[in-house]
Every structure is written in structure tokens, then in C-alpha cells.
Amino acid sequence: MNLFQDAEIKISKLPLGPYDTNCYVVSCSRTKEAVVIDAPAQAGRILDEARRFKVKYILITHAHPDHLGALAQIRTVLRVPVGVHTSDAHGLPQPADFNLEDGAKVRFGRQTLKVIHAPGHT
């Protein structure tokens, strides 16, 4: 697991599955609220990291199978809304709870992520 942390934010990068596809757990250092970005595989490893925080959302960057392998399981356990760009909503195994549009902001704790649409890898 790679890690970046300062007084404001912590980013854990988990390379998972046969392609070492990245999952990120991004958290607010002050409030311990977090988001999980992508769910490629190995739900147990994602959940081990996520359980250290109050996860607000699961965000999916795009609907390629190597980014979704653990989605159903972590969604069931974490019971938080799932967001994906409308271009990829059709590719999820279950419908998303909300859409991520270019320029939208996702807030958790004292942090804000800005959605940047990048066609092909949304």
C-alpha cells in the first residue's frame, strides 16, 4: 500500500487483482471521513483499509471490469452511495446512486474532490 498523508488529507493506494488495478481510499485527516475510489478486487483488503474511516461514498472512475470486481461486496458491507459518470452508468452490475458530471464536487470531511471527465476513462 502506498500512502500520502499530511495534516489535511490521507491517500492510500491499494494495487489489487491480477492487473494491480488501483483502489484509493482518500480520507480527511481531521474528520476521518473518506471515499473509496474504484473496487477492482480483493474486497477484504479494501474493507480493511476503509473500516478505519467513516466512508461517505464509493466513486467509480469507469466501468471496466478490472475496476468493479469487488464493488458488489464492498457496497453491501459499507452501505454508502455509489457514484459514477453517466457515460459509464450502464456498465455497473447494479445501478449507481448518483451521477458524477464534469465539474461536480464531492465533499467528505473538510475535503472536496472535483470531477474531471476524461472520455474512455471517465
Side-chain angles (χ1 to χ4, degrees):
M1 172 177 58
N2 295 320
L3 176 70
F4 170 83
Q5 183 171 0
D6 66 17
E8 299 298 322
I9 196 166
K10 176 181 178 182
I11 303 170
S12 300
K13 181 175 91 169
L14 307 167
L16 302 169
Y19 303 109
D20 283 336
T21 304
N22 292 323
C23 168
Y24 297 92
V25 178
V26 182
S27 61
C28 175
S29 296
R30 295 177 189 261
T31 67
K32 305 302 183 209
E33 288 186 355
V35 297
V36 173
I37 302 174
D38 286 337
Q42 298 170 266
R45 286 193 54 206
I46 297 169
L47 292 169
D48 285 346
E49 183 65 19
R51 285 188 177 119
R52 302 162 77 215
F53 307 101
K54 180 179 180 346
V55 176
K56 300 272 298 191
Y57 306 107
I58 300 167
L59 308 176
I60 302 299
T61 60
H62 61 288
H64 288 170
D66 62 323
H67 288 253
L68 304 175
L71 178 59
Q73 187 174 355
I74 69 166
R75 184 182 212 178
T76 298
V77 172
L78 295 176
R79 296 179 182 229
V80 298
V82 173
V84 67
H85 191 273
T86 53
S87 296
D88 279 301
H90 67 281
L92 296 187
Q94 299 172 330
D97 298 296
F98 64 99
N99 293 322
L100 299 170
E101 297 295 342
D102 189 52
K105 296 195 176 109
V106 177
R107 291 179 173 84
F108 58 99
R110 296 182 181 182
Q111 302 304 312
T112 302
L113 298 178
K114 181 180 177 184
V115 176
I116 300 172
H117 182 233
H121 281 82
T122 55

